Amino acid sequence: MASAKARRLFYFSVVAALLLVPAAAFLLLPILRAHRTLSQASRDTASAHLIPFRFGPLAPSPNPGFEPIAAPSSFTSAAALDDRIFLAGPSALLVFNASGTNASGTLERTFHVGLDLPPSALGPLLVARLRNQAHPQLLVATAGSGILVFDPQTQSFEALLPTASGLRDITALAALASGELLAGTRRSGLLVFDGKTLELFRPEYANANITTLLAEGNDLWAGTQDHGLFHTHAGITEHIETELPDPHIEALAADATRVFAATPLGVALFEDGRPSRTLAPNTFAHALFAEPNTLTLSTLTSGVVSLPLDSSRPHATTASEDDASPTEQFVSLPGRPGLYAVRHDGLYRRAGARWVAALQPALPAPTPAALTDNHIAALNFSPDGRLWVGTFDRGLDILDLARNTAQHLEDDHLFCINRIALDPERHTMAVATANGLVLFDASGKPRQTLTRRDGLISDHITDVVYTNLSTNVSTNGASGQARMTIATPAGLTFIDSTGVQSLYAFQGLVNNHVYALAASSDGNDLLAGTLGGVSLLTHQAVRRNLTVANSGLRHNWITAALPFDNGTFLVGTYGAGIMRLDNGASTAGTARTANTARFTPLDLVTRDMVINPNAMLATSTHILAGSLGQGLWSFSRATQHWTQMTAGLPSLNVTAFAARDGILYVGTENGLVRIPESNLPQ
């Protein structure tokens, strides 16, 4: 009986268990689904902070034939690794084999931007051993190509390149004690790389414009362009701004428990993480180095200054003996005693109260370093074959390429060059600047500066074009028919034998701010490209205004213009690339219908792209256009095809062109290069 009862109990247990399984499954299914949903949400949340990137060997594209010309030496950062000293400037990284204690050494190798390295200016250097790496490496920040990693063992580069172009402009580097790499960006906050993933460091840093970083262990300080400091410690981020003498941070330095922040109005001192006082008030501090009893700083007005850190003398200052040259960075080099200073012409070592040269290299170039500055803004040739080079803020250089000599001109008017125009009748040059129009004679000497006092509608000149040219020139060199049209942010000014006249929006111009001018081949028609569209003029009168609303134009902001084939124009825009304008002329050129003027997009170049002001040039074989961040665009007249060119350029920001004797000269924000026109794509 017991056996039968046991069998019945076992039977009922099995049946009950089988009945409970579906019920349990029914009850557990929502729980399992919820768990999967939460797990997926967690993964999605984590991946949402991750930044797509590429990390691998650097493989520059072949150079089509660009060669640098007249590049000035300019250095901004230095570092030491494995008996080598690395000296970097915007256009090159120099490697010195340095033995001994004074950092003296011989140049071992030069890596040129645009040739050996990507076409982006080089920034700060950092030596660090990152997570998952067997030994320290050299890290190089770039202004547009991410981070370059140089391995001293293999003597080769790798590139850490975020997919989003806005994250590639790196302004500062630092390494945490944990081996993570921190990278400050110009507009997109702070990034962190752990060897496998790249992400935003913390939400508090989002969109910050980082200028400098300081990592002490896992304690982080970050300076910004205009919002003071961020301080992250023990998982908490503090924003410091009102306590600073100025919200712009130039540099950071630390010694023990003290942190120093350089600003344009003095140095902020922090003790134990809290604001303490301001040192050297009202001093534009640019670079810092902290020692137990002294703070060394470079100023823009007094050179190198030493501040004693005795609390009983909080405002005491002592200038060094050698304080003539500004310093970009102070560095201590491992294994080499003393303090070093990076200046534009090389590396200096402190010897007592003086600074002596440790390394003063000259950048190798096909021609001597003759330019004053690398930021090119305008180019043109004078009839005598000299190349006129206008810079962004250092005036004008006139290069004699045959003799490898240069003449530099810079004053209150010649400092910010927008355009260099040749008067085809007088064979003189007109230089448009932010403070007037400077007229040069045929020998290259400035003879007159035109401003508002002379009848111009504005002192700020953006473009110049000559129209109504006549072959009947009088004996004194003047033409009764020639007219100079001057573009300004306040409208147009016309100068001819009848006097000076101006035209602005009240008289029909589509917008007062005129950036670019282009004249038709017969000189009767003029295109004025403005901030608000295009005005077509005939005999100084506005014929029609064209905008996004009425013409097919895709962006109203016009930055450059050129006459093209069959009475058409090419215009460059700030945001829509290049478009073609049929200005309403018939193919025979005998009739014009204003209402037919319309813009047409062009293959490849009508795109999300900024064409730099007046960065367009026409030759007999090509049309050239310079973009902001997308390199050089070349149009072959033979094949009617546009091609983008980036390899070989010192920067993807192409700003100016000139051509002579089959050679094209290309100005960028990081130097001047040249290339035979025959090397351009067909």
Side-chain angles (χ1 to χ4, degrees):
M1 294 293 294
S3 177
K5 183 178 181 181
R7 286 196 299 270
R8 285 195 298 271
L9 290 173
F10 176 76
Y11 171 78
F12 286 121
S13 299
V14 171
V15 172
L18 292 173
L19 292 174
L20 288 173
V21 167
F26 178 78
L27 294 173
L28 288 173
L29 186 59
I31 298 175
L32 293 173
R33 287 176 176 171
H35 176 72
R36 286 196 299 269
T37 301
L38 291 174
S39 298
Q40 183 62 43
S42 299
R43 289 192 295 270
D44 291 344
T45 300
S47 63
H49 296 281
L50 298 181
I51 297 171
F53 70 97
R54 300 191 302 274
F55 186 38
L58 181 66
S61 301
N63 177 20
F66 288 105
E67 60 178 9
I69 178 172
S73 298
S74 181
F75 303 103
T76 56
S77 187
L81 176 63
D82 292 349
D83 289 328
R84 288 181 175 85
I85 295 178
F86 298 86
L87 193 58
S91 58
L93 173 68
L94 278 63
V95 184
F96 292 87
N97 186 349
S99 58
T101 59
N102 292 329
S104 59
T106 57
L107 181 62
E108 189 174 82
R109 189 168 181 182
T110 300
F111 296 99
H112 291 281
V113 168
L115 300 177
D116 313 293
L117 303 177
S120 299
L122 305 184
L125 303 179
L126 173 70
V127 171
R129 180 180 175 181
L130 302 182
R131 185 179 294 179
N132 301 325
Q133 295 298 322
H135 49 264
Q137 297 170 304
L138 177 74
L139 302 124
V140 186
T142 75
S145 296
I147 302 168
L148 305 179
V149 182
F150 180 75
D151 191 312
Q153 305 295 325
T154 63
Q155 294 284 295
S156 61
F157 283 94
E158 290 184 300
L160 175 61
L161 187 68
T163 302
S165 59
L167 300 177
R168 299 176 181 176
D169 193 351
I170 309 299
T171 55
L173 296 171
L176 298 177
S178 58
E180 295 171 308
L181 174 65
L182 298 174
T185 69
R186 194 171 304 278
R187 297 180 181 86
S188 303
L190 185 62
L191 311 181
V192 57
F193 179 64
D194 64 3
K196 295 182 178 179
T197 62
L198 181 68
E199 58 184 317
L200 293 174
F201 178 61
R202 294 179 67 90
E204 295 90 343
Y205 291 85
N207 302 318
N209 189 333
I210 307 295
T211 56
T212 182
L213 295 171
L214 174 66
E216 293 289 304
N218 286 314
D219 196 12
L220 176 68
W221 295 79
T224 70
Q225 178 71 28
D226 49 15
H227 290 292
L229 281 167
F230 289 95
H231 179 209
T232 299
H233 177 69
I236 299 174
T237 298
E238 179 185 11
H239 182 213
I240 305 165
E241 185 171 350
T242 58
E243 301 91 335
L244 300 171
D246 190 277
H248 173 76
I249 308 300
E250 286 277 307
L252 293 167
D255 177 66
T257 60
R258 296 178 298 191
V259 171
F260 305 86
T263 81
L265 292 176
V267 179
L269 168 62
F270 295 81
E271 297 184 279
D272 296 317
R274 310 308 306 167
S276 175
R277 64 183 190 270
T278 298
L279 306 175
N282 300 316
T283 299
F284 198 127
H286 179 62
L288 297 175
F289 188 82
E291 298 171 282
N293 299 315
T294 305
L295 178 70
T296 303
L297 67 142
S298 173
T299 74
L300 294 186
T301 56
S302 303
V304 177
V305 173
S306 295
L307 299 177
L309 296 176
D310 184 347
S311 60
S312 65
R313 298 185 300 154
H315 301 299
T317 64
T318 302
S320 340
E321 294 179 9
D322 179 13
D323 59 359
S325 300
T327 295
E328 290 296 317
Q329 180 191 28
F330 294 109
V331 293
S332 59
L333 301 178
R336 297 167 180 84
L339 178 64
Y340 293 84
V342 181
R343 295 178 176 174
H344 286 300
D345 61 341
L347 186 68
Y348 289 76
R349 178 175 53 87
R350 184 166 65 182
R354 299 176 61 251
W355 294 88
V356 297
L359 293 172
Q360 285 186 295
L363 283 178
T367 57
L371 288 179
T372 304
D373 191 74
N374 269 340
H375 195 159
I376 311 302
L379 296 171
N380 207 346
F381 275 97
S382 56
D384 60 9
R386 291 186 294 174
L387 178 61
W388 292 49
V389 183
T391 66
F392 181 72
D393 58 1
R394 290 299 314 276
L396 178 71
D397 288 323
I398 305 177
L399 302 185
D400 187 328
L401 299 173
R403 299 179 180 178
N404 293 331
T405 60
Q407 175 188 4
H408 178 66
L409 298 169
E410 183 177 356
D411 56 30
D412 290 342
H413 296 285
L414 284 169
F415 66 90
C416 181
I417 312 299
N418 293 320
R419 187 70 149 173
I420 302 172
L422 168 67
D423 183 338
E425 289 195 341
R426 296 179 177 87
H427 304 293
T428 59
M429 305 294 280
V431 178
T433 80
N435 199 26
L437 182 67
V438 184
L439 304 178
F440 289 75
D441 63 19
S443 68
K445 294 181 180 180
R447 292 301 185 186
Q448 185 180 8
T449 299
L450 302 179
T451 65
R452 292 182 62 185
R453 292 178 303 177
D454 303 289
L456 303 189
I457 198 170
S458 172
D459 289 341
H460 188 164
I461 314 301
T462 55
D463 200 2
V464 179
V465 70
Y466 292 88
T467 57
N468 285 13
L469 300 175
S470 171
T471 57
N472 183 20
V473 182
S474 63
T475 56
N476 63 3
S479 167
Q481 301 297 322
R483 176 183 300 122
M484 180 193 298
T485 303
I486 300 168
T488 80
L492 296 174
T493 294
F494 306 97
I495 301 178
D496 58 20
S497 59
T498 65
V500 180
Q501 303 178 56
S502 292
L503 179 74
Y504 50 97
F506 182 76
Q507 297 162 303
L509 204 63
V510 68
N511 187 281
N512 279 335
H513 200 141
V514 185
Y515 280 89
L517 299 171
S520 62
S521 57
D522 60 11
N524 292 322
D525 296 333
L526 183 72
L527 181 150
T530 79
L531 187 64
V534 165
S535 287
L536 295 175
L537 295 87
T538 302
H539 303 303
Q540 299 180 215
V542 176
R543 173 163 58 89
R544 191 183 180 195
N545 289 325
L546 306 172
T547 67
V548 169
N550 66 2
S551 66
L553 183 63
R554 295 190 180 178
H555 203 296
N556 279 333
W557 189 344
I558 309 300
T559 56
L562 277 179
F564 195 45
D565 299 332
N566 299 322
T568 64
F569 291 96
L570 295 180
V571 298
T573 71
Y574 194 97
I578 305 168
M579 301 192 74
R580 184 176 64 226
L581 171 64
D582 178 350
N583 75 344
S586 68
T587 55
T590 58
R592 183 185 295 108
T593 305
N595 292 333
T596 63
R598 190 163 186 83
F599 285 92
T600 303
L602 300 172
D603 289 342
L604 298 179
V605 292
T606 302
R607 56 189 289 167
D608 183 10
M609 180 169 62
V610 174
I611 301 301
N612 279 315
N614 295 315
M616 295 182 72
L617 177 72
T619 72
S620 60
T621 59
H622 290 83
I623 302 290
L624 292 312
S627 72
L628 175 64
Q630 296 188 39
L632 162 65
W633 290 84
S634 172
F635 175 78
S636 169
R637 293 182 184 270
T639 64
Q640 300 287 294
H641 181 68
W642 287 95
T643 303
Q644 183 183 20
M645 303 181 69
T646 58
L649 295 172
S651 171
L652 295 182
N653 187 13
V654 178
T655 53
F657 298 101
R660 186 179 178 89
D661 298 331
I663 304 295
L664 174 68
Y665 295 79
V666 182
T668 77
E669 70 169 354
N670 192 32
L672 175 65
V673 294
R674 61 185 173 191
I675 186 173
E677 279 195 71
S678 58
N679 287 28
L680 296 179
Q682 294 299 321

